[in-house]
Amino acid sequence: MNTIFLIIKREYLVRVRKKSFIVMTILGPVLIFGFYAIIGWAAVSSINQKKIAVVDESGRFSGKFKNDDETNFAYLKESLPAAKKTFVKQGYDALVFIPKDVIEYPKTVQIFAEKSVSLSLQSNIERSIGKEIENQKLEQAGITQKIIQDAKVNVDAQTISLSDAGEKSSNGIATTIISGFCALLIYISVLIYGTQVMRGVMEEKTSRIVEVIISSVKPFQLMLGKIIGVALVGLTQFMLWIVLTVGLMTVGSSLMGQKETAKSAVATRMNGMPGGQDVQQKMSTAKNPVADVMAAIETLNLPLIIGCFLFYFLGGYLLYSALFGAVGAAVDSETETQQFMFPIMMPIIAAIAFAQIAVKDPDGPLAFWTSIIPFTSPVVMMVRIPFGVPVWEIALSMILLVLGFMGTTWIAARIYRVGILMYGKKTSFRELAKWVFYKG
């Protein structure tokens, strides 16, 4: 046991003392936030308004289409043949032709462009024409736009979770985002840290250092110490990320609280001024997106989510890293790992696919069984937990995950003890099966 502890200590200290670990631990949350912020900014800033020329042969759509950030409609007073020759020179991105009988035959609309029309632009044009045809048909039936607008109602329902402890407010958007983020983080972490174990074993094998180590340490002890050491590195990094994230959220919430207090004070002072009541009402009803996000997060059972996340990260990592370590011991170079990596990667990739289904139906049979099977449970169960999972299902999933880790560790250890000292021989799946049952 003391030998395993020394190996764990060595693997842990070597990795946490690296500058790359320190930099990524500190900058990790910032980089992740910045990455998604850049994507969001790029998605918004990349929207270019398209100029659409319209030739309306029916004469029923002039001035009816509404312009927005994506499309700007302009009506041409010329025939279709003439417009087809000039619309590109006039700076239009597309030409829409609306025939006379479009109300009776809406599929006769034509869109002309110098290049292929994007799917989003085609959808916007079709939606605008379809909506206007619908409005005109309703008006012919005696239903005016005022009646339609008055009939439209936006319902903003409050979701409440019922349990033995009583009623508790919930938020579907926050639940979906947190569950998906946790599942994706476990998926990425298992691959990153599992690959670290495999490469560490390969480096020691190819450099022949392992021959010296094996003289005083059993192969199983070396493999287990390496796996647990890297696991502790991952846990350390996650714990620091959680602390940093909570700290940033606390600071952000405090700043937003001060801002709301200042706005309330301004609104109070303006209450006695002319028009001040209108300003106060607008300021009081204005939504604060950051406060909405914080309030949504507070509806979740964060201690349970964080605790289960750490368990399933550790369980999933131990399950797969043992197999990664066995692959590293079985090959002589990284190019030989590809044939063995695919069977290991398939369950974890399938887990991501099952997780997308579990988000839509967290209590369905597919979500249940994939959250119980050890090879997919670390990802799928983390999707289900924010939605609420019975305790017995979580307990069963955890027990089976521990048993699965013990099983993969036993198989990996059997392969590791033979493969770690095997050089110059190309390994196959049949050879690995022989190593598992080798009694020497």
Side-chain angles (χ1 to χ4, degrees):
M1 193 67 185
N2 188 46
T3 304
I4 297 178
F5 176 76
L6 292 175
I7 298 171
I8 294 172
K9 182 179 178 181
R10 183 255 179 191
E11 292 291 334
Y12 179 80
L13 293 178
V14 165
R15 284 172 169 78
V16 297
R17 286 173 177 173
K18 289 182 179 179
K19 291 183 179 179
S20 59
F21 174 84
I22 298 173
V23 171
M24 285 305 301
T25 300
I26 296 174
L27 298 181
V30 178
L31 291 176
I32 293 173
F33 174 80
F35 174 74
Y36 284 104
I38 290 173
I39 291 177
W41 173 81
V44 174
S45 61
S46 62
I47 297 176
N48 295 321
Q49 190 182 57
K50 302 293 183 181
K51 295 179 64 179
I52 310 300
V54 180
V55 175
D56 181 16
E57 195 177 60
S58 68
R60 307 176 70 169
F61 294 85
S62 179
K64 298 291 186 178
F65 299 144
K66 293 182 179 180
N67 298 327
D68 53 27
D69 294 335
E70 298 182 12
T71 51
N72 183 9
F73 294 96
Y75 299 87
L76 303 182
K77 304 283 186 177
E78 52 187 298
S79 64
L80 178 62
K84 288 165 65 175
K85 296 178 180 179
T86 60
F87 81 94
V88 175
K89 296 179 181 179
Q90 295 176 10
Y92 293 105
D93 297 289
L95 170 66
V96 178
F97 173 66
I98 303 176
K100 291 181 179 179
D101 54 355
V102 66
I103 302 294
E104 292 78 15
Y105 305 100
K107 292 185 178 181
T108 56
V109 175
Q110 294 178 308
I111 302 175
F112 302 91
E114 187 177 20
K115 300 179 181 179
S116 297
V117 178
S118 66
L119 184 61
S120 62
L121 178 59
Q122 181 180 347
S123 299
N124 286 338
I125 294 172
E126 292 173 347
R127 185 167 54 251
S128 298
I129 297 174
K131 185 177 181 180
E132 185 55 34
I133 292 175
E134 180 183 333
N135 291 338
Q136 292 190 22
K137 285 186 175 181
L138 289 172
E139 288 180 1
Q140 290 176 2
I143 303 174
T144 63
Q145 284 296 316
K146 186 177 185 305
I147 296 175
I148 296 173
Q149 293 298 325
D150 292 341
K152 291 182 179 179
V153 178
N154 293 324
V155 178
D156 188 7
Q158 181 184 4
T159 56
I160 300 172
S161 299
L162 298 176
S163 64
D164 295 336
E167 298 182 0
K168 183 181 179 181
S169 177
S170 61
N171 187 289
I173 296 176
T175 302
T176 302
I177 293 174
I178 292 296
S179 62
F181 178 75
C182 291
L184 184 62
L185 198 57
I186 288 181
Y187 167 76
I188 295 173
S189 303
V190 167
L191 295 183
I192 291 176
Y193 294 115
T195 305
Q196 284 187 18
V197 173
M198 182 184 69
R199 288 178 177 171
V201 173
M202 288 174 54
E203 289 174 3
E204 293 177 352
K205 180 179 178 179
T206 54
S207 63
R208 301 296 179 98
I209 296 176
V210 71
E211 295 179 2
V212 180
I213 300 175
I214 290 298
S215 62
S216 56
V217 178
K218 293 181 179 180
F220 175 77
Q221 294 176 328
L222 180 60
M223 185 192 73
L224 194 62
K226 187 176 290 292
I227 291 173
I228 297 176
V230 177
L232 292 177
V233 173
L235 282 176
T236 301
Q237 198 163 47
F238 278 127
M239 291 301 296
L240 291 174
W241 280 351
I242 290 171
V243 171
L244 289 173
T245 303
V246 171
L248 291 173
M249 290 174 62
T250 302
V251 172
S253 178
S254 177
L255 292 176
M256 292 307 301
Q258 294 177 5
K259 185 176 179 180
E260 289 298 316
T261 302
K263 287 173 62 177
S264 177
V266 172
T268 302
R269 288 197 299 269
M270 294 185 66
N271 191 25
M273 301 180 182
Q277 291 183 350
D278 295 337
V279 174
Q280 185 183 22
Q281 185 177 3
K282 290 180 180 179
M283 293 178 69
S284 61
T285 57
K287 289 188 175 181
N288 183 353
V290 177
D292 291 343
V293 172
M294 296 297 296
I297 292 176
E298 289 176 357
T299 62
L300 301 175
N301 190 348
L302 290 180
L304 175 65
I305 294 174
I306 293 174
C308 289
F309 173 82
L310 294 176
F311 176 86
Y312 280 104
F313 158 72
L314 188 60
Y317 161 79
L318 293 174
L319 181 80
Y320 281 97
S321 61
L323 299 176
F324 279 114
V327 171
V331 299
D332 293 333
S333 63
E334 193 162 349
T335 56
E336 297 179 21
T337 63
Q338 302 305 318
Q339 61 173 328
F340 301 111
M341 288 288 289
F342 183 72
I344 299 175
M345 295 286 293
M346 280 300 295
I348 193 71
I349 294 174
I352 288 293
F354 293 139
Q356 297 176 11
I357 300 174
V359 168
K360 299 178 181 178
D361 187 13
D363 297 320
L366 182 63
F368 169 78
W369 287 110
T370 53
S371 65
I372 297 300
I373 299 172
F375 288 98
T376 56
S377 63
V379 173
V380 180
M381 183 57 84
M382 279 312 306
V383 170
R384 297 185 61 207
I385 285 176
F387 289 95
V389 180
V391 176
W392 71 267
E393 291 186 18
I394 298 177
L396 178 61
S397 175
M398 289 181 172
I399 292 171
L400 291 178
L401 183 58
V402 172
L403 294 176
F405 157 64
M406 294 172 63
T408 56
T409 303
W410 181 84
I411 294 174
R414 305 287 292 184
I415 297 174
Y416 189 91
R417 67 195 175 107
V418 179
I420 197 67
L421 296 175
M422 188 74 69
Y423 299 98
K425 184 177 181 181
K426 193 170 183 179
T427 311
S428 63
F429 285 103
R430 179 177 295 181
E431 195 72 23
L432 292 180
K434 290 181 180 179
W435 293 356
V436 171
F437 299 101
Y438 181 66
K439 297 182 180 180

